[in-house]
Structure formats: C-alpha cells, structure tokens
Amino acid sequence: MSARLRFAVSCAVVFLVLGALVLAGVWLVVRSNLEYRTDLLMPTCTQEGFCRNDPLYEVARRQAMRVRAAYQRDTLKAVRDVGALVVVAGAAGAFGLGWRTAGWVLRPLRRMTETARQVAQSHDLTERIAYEGPREEVKELADTFDTMLGRLARSFDAQRKFVANASHELRTPLTINRTLVDVAVRRPDATDDVKRLGESLLLVNARHERLIDGLLALAEGEQAVLDRRPFDLTDVAEHVLDQAAAEAAEREVTIHRLLDPAPTTGEAVLVERLVQNLLENAIRHNHPKGEVWVSTRRRAERVELVVANTGLPVPAYEIETIFEPFRRLHGDRLRSDRGSGLGLSIVKVIAEAHGGTVTGWPREEGGLTITVELPVDPAA
C-alpha cells in the first residue's frame, strides 16, 4: 500500500470513527429527550378536572404513551439511518480529500523518486533534484539527497582515476621486469641455473600480471554499465571459443558448443571477459581428455549462458565460496597457470552490473556447471 493510499485511508477511518462517536452521542441525547416522563403523563389531577384514577384519563394516558413510543422509535431510527449515511458519505469525502492532499504533499517526494530512478537507470550522477520551496522537511531531505549525489559523483570519479593510474603504475614495472628477465635468459652466456631461475621469475611475473589484470577487471566490473547496447551473446561466445581453441587443444580438452540466439544489452567487452573467464576456468580446472560444454539460449525474458566441464569432484558446500575473490578449490594456491582466484569473482560482478545472476552446482561425474542469466534485449 502506497503512502498516499495509507494517508487517504487514515483520513477516512478517522472521520468514520469520529462520525460514529458523534452519531452515537446524538442518538443518546435524542433518546433521552424522548423518554417517558411521569410528571407530564401522571399528574394527580389536571386543570380540566380529570384525576389519576379516572377511566377516561387512563385511556388518554395509554394512548399518549403509545404515540410517544412510536414517535421515539421512528425518530431514533431516522437519526440512526440518516446519520449513518452522512457518516459514510463524509468518510468517502474525507478519503477523496485525503487522497488529493496527500498527492499535493507528496509531490516533492515523487520528484525525488523520479530523479533517483533516473540516476539509477542512467548512472548519471550529475542529476540533481534542486527542489525550490520553503525551508521545511521535504526541502531538507531533497538537499541532503543532492549532497549525497555530489559525494557519490566525486567518489566514483576518484575511483575511476585510481583504476586508470593503477593500471599504468602496476603494469609498467612488471613489463620492465619481464623484458629484463627475458633478455637475461636469452643471453648466449646464460647458464642453465640462470635460465631456470629466469623461467621461474617469468612464471611468477606472469602470475602477478594476471592478478593485476584480474583486480582491475574486478574494479571495472563493479562499475555501473553506462552504455547499454544490443548484442547477441552467441556472437560473443563464438568469438571467445575460437580464441580458446588453441589452449583447449594444448591441454587435450574437447569443447562442445550448442549456441542458439540470445539477444541482450550491455557492454559487449565486459561480457566477453565474463565468457572468457568461464571458459578458461573450465579448461584449466579440467583433466587431460576432459570435456567442456558451452551453450547459449533465450528463456522468456532472460538469456542464458551455460558452461559445464569435467574435472575433480567439487563439494556442494564450496559452491558459494568459489565466487569470492582469491578463493580456489582443492587448496590450489601456487599453480600460477590456473589463475589468481579472481575469475569467477569477475564473472559475478560483471553479471550483476548487467542486472543478471550467476549460479553454479557440481556435476555428479566431477567438475562444475556455471549458469549466467542476463536480461533479454527488449527490442528483440
């Protein structure tokens, strides 16, 4: 029930209760005034010479009492019926008046709600309510909301600048390290120990590069999707599958694809990273001669991407934890070729940024099945 409807109903209920109390009071007063009065109907003698025990007087008194009783009954019934109609009509009027009054009072709040909805949908933090009116509660709330939007805008700008600077500052030294180690390993006079050390350093460096890329992707994925453009999830999946074919062949993993049209909207680059992480996870956390199944389809108002793979058995109680950053299954924390533990976390934040969901469950034969659902393109 909306606040406007609650206010109107409250007005109607208050009027109904007060009207019922007033009607009951009027009914009691009228009833009291029409009660039998012995000083009028039972005098000792009248001025005309009729006395209490006179037969003619008793006939007249009983007739007067019947008239009084009928008049009292009809009058009280009229007071009750007419009063009830007036109270009900007044309650309806109070409901209508309360509805219009609430609409007038809540008009600034509706404007605030509309502005907040526009900010949530467009992610444009430059929008402001800019309410102009007397200095009262609604204006204070609107000004507080504008102040909050300003702080959020500054915070997001600072975060975007930090991500851009971190991307440069963190990648540059790793790139230099990789180049220096690669040059040292390729020198003609490099000993076998130096080459082995260089290869180990290159593996560690590659792991750090993937870790930084994953952290940056995680930060970017948590940002709101600003530019929602239509695209087909099937096209993205086909592109990622073609890129992953070489790694799958190297690891002796067979990929099966069943790609049906799945139109959606969002940032295709981020969704490509989502599909890439899922496919890399399915290939690298597999065993030789293993298999991977990738499918896309549309289901009612959602599109669905399903990636399943063979591999080691996964306990059901660990399914929720694998979507947390730096969580790995089977205690695998040192294998740099299997990632940094951010892949599924990035999948989750990208899906949520697009208004979607990610679910997973273990396969009985071993491995995982991950399902990503995204909103369908309304124009499709």
Side-chain angles (χ1 to χ4, degrees), residues 43-358:
T44 304
C45 292
T46 66
Q47 295 178 355
E48 291 79 6
F50 294 101
C51 293
R52 180 180 301 174
N53 296 324
D54 192 320
L56 293 177
Y57 176 81
E58 290 298 326
V59 172
R61 187 180 67 84
R62 285 194 294 270
Q63 183 63 26
M65 291 181 63
R66 285 195 294 270
V67 171
R68 183 206 60 80
Y71 181 74
Q72 182 189 45
R73 182 178 62 253
D74 294 341
T75 302
L76 292 178
K77 182 176 182 299
V79 170
R80 182 193 63 195
D81 295 345
V82 174
L85 289 176
V86 171
V87 170
V88 172
F95 179 87
L97 183 61
W99 179 268
R100 293 183 62 86
T101 303
W104 176 73
V105 173
L106 296 176
R107 188 180 304 163
L109 296 180
R110 287 200 301 270
R111 181 179 173 186
M112 293 177 58
T113 302
E114 185 62 29
T115 303
R117 184 180 296 111
Q118 291 177 2
V119 172
Q121 292 176 351
S122 65
H123 308 286
D124 183 10
L125 296 179
T126 61
E127 288 281 348
R128 295 294 184 272
I129 297 176
Y131 176 73
E132 298 180 357
R135 192 70 187 179
E136 36 81 27
E137 291 81 0
V138 175
K139 181 169 177 56
E140 291 180 359
L141 179 60
D143 292 344
T144 303
F145 187 79
D146 287 342
T147 302
M148 181 186 66
L149 286 178
R151 291 183 178 179
L152 286 175
R154 291 191 294 270
S155 176
F156 284 137
D157 288 340
Q159 186 176 6
R160 281 192 289 268
K161 292 178 181 178
F162 171 78
V163 170
N165 293 333
S167 174
H168 175 74
E169 295 295 334
L170 294 177
R171 285 171 175 166
T172 299
L174 290 177
T175 302
I176 296 174
N177 289 343
R178 185 178 68 249
T179 303
L180 294 176
V181 173
D182 189 61
V183 170
V185 169
R186 294 177 183 275
R187 291 180 55 180
D189 57 345
T191 64
D192 293 339
D193 292 339
V194 172
K195 291 181 179 179
R196 284 194 295 270
L197 177 61
E199 291 174 356
S200 299
L201 291 176
L202 287 175
L203 287 175
V204 173
N205 199 84
R207 182 177 184 275
H208 288 167
E209 288 180 344
R210 284 196 298 271
L211 176 60
I212 292 173
D213 289 341
L215 289 173
L216 293 175
L218 191 63
E220 293 173 356
E222 289 178 342
Q223 300 292 327
V225 178
L226 301 177
D227 188 13
R228 286 186 172 272
R229 297 184 178 180
F231 65 92
D232 199 321
L233 184 59
T234 301
D235 298 335
V236 176
E238 286 181 346
H239 177 68
V240 175
L241 285 168
D242 293 340
Q243 289 183 331
E247 183 178 2
E250 180 182 351
R251 295 176 181 266
E252 299 181 351
V253 174
T254 303
I255 299 180
H256 308 276
R257 62 178 74 182
L258 178 60
L259 305 178
D260 294 330
T264 185
T265 59
E267 293 189 6
V269 175
L270 285 178
V271 176
E272 179 182 345
R273 182 60 184 267
L274 178 151
V275 180
Q276 180 182 356
N277 284 6
L278 286 178
L279 194 56
E280 288 179 353
N281 186 76
I283 293 174
R284 296 173 184 177
H285 294 275
N286 214 318
H287 52 70
K289 309 296 183 182
E291 296 180 280
V292 175
W293 297 268
V294 181
S295 64
T296 59
R297 60 177 175 175
R298 173 178 177 176
R299 299 183 62 184
E301 298 303 318
R302 312 285 282 181
V303 297
E304 185 180 80
L305 168 69
V306 180
V307 178
N309 65 281
T310 56
L312 295 175
V314 179
Y317 59 84
E318 290 193 5
I319 293 298
E320 293 297 328
T321 62
I322 63 176
F323 294 102
E324 299 176 3
F326 304 108
R327 295 301 294 267
R328 301 177 180 87
L329 295 175
H330 312 299
D332 188 6
R333 293 185 174 271
L334 301 177
R335 292 282 301 278
S336 62
D337 60 333
R338 289 192 176 182
S340 57
L342 291 172
L344 293 181
S345 302
I346 295 172
V347 169
K348 182 178 180 181
V349 296
I350 292 176
E352 290 178 350
H354 285 77
T357 59
V358 180

Side-chain angles (χ1 to χ4, degrees), residues 4-70:
R4 186 178 185 183
L5 181 58
R6 287 199 301 269
F7 183 80
V9 171
S10 299
C11 291
V13 171
V14 170
F15 187 92
L16 190 65
V17 172
L18 293 179
L21 292 176
V22 171
L23 177 61
V26 171
W27 188 87
L28 290 175
V29 170
V30 173
R31 181 176 179 274
S32 175
N33 290 333
L34 295 178
E35 284 293 332
Y36 176 77
R37 295 178 60 177
T38 58
D39 59 333
L40 293 178
L41 296 180
M42 293 189 63
T44 304
C45 292
T46 66
Q47 295 178 355
E48 291 79 6
F50 294 101
C51 293
R52 180 180 301 174
N53 296 324
D54 192 320
L56 293 177
Y57 176 81
E58 290 298 326
V59 172
R61 187 180 67 84
R62 285 194 294 270
Q63 183 63 26
M65 291 181 63
R66 285 195 294 270
V67 171
R68 183 206 60 80

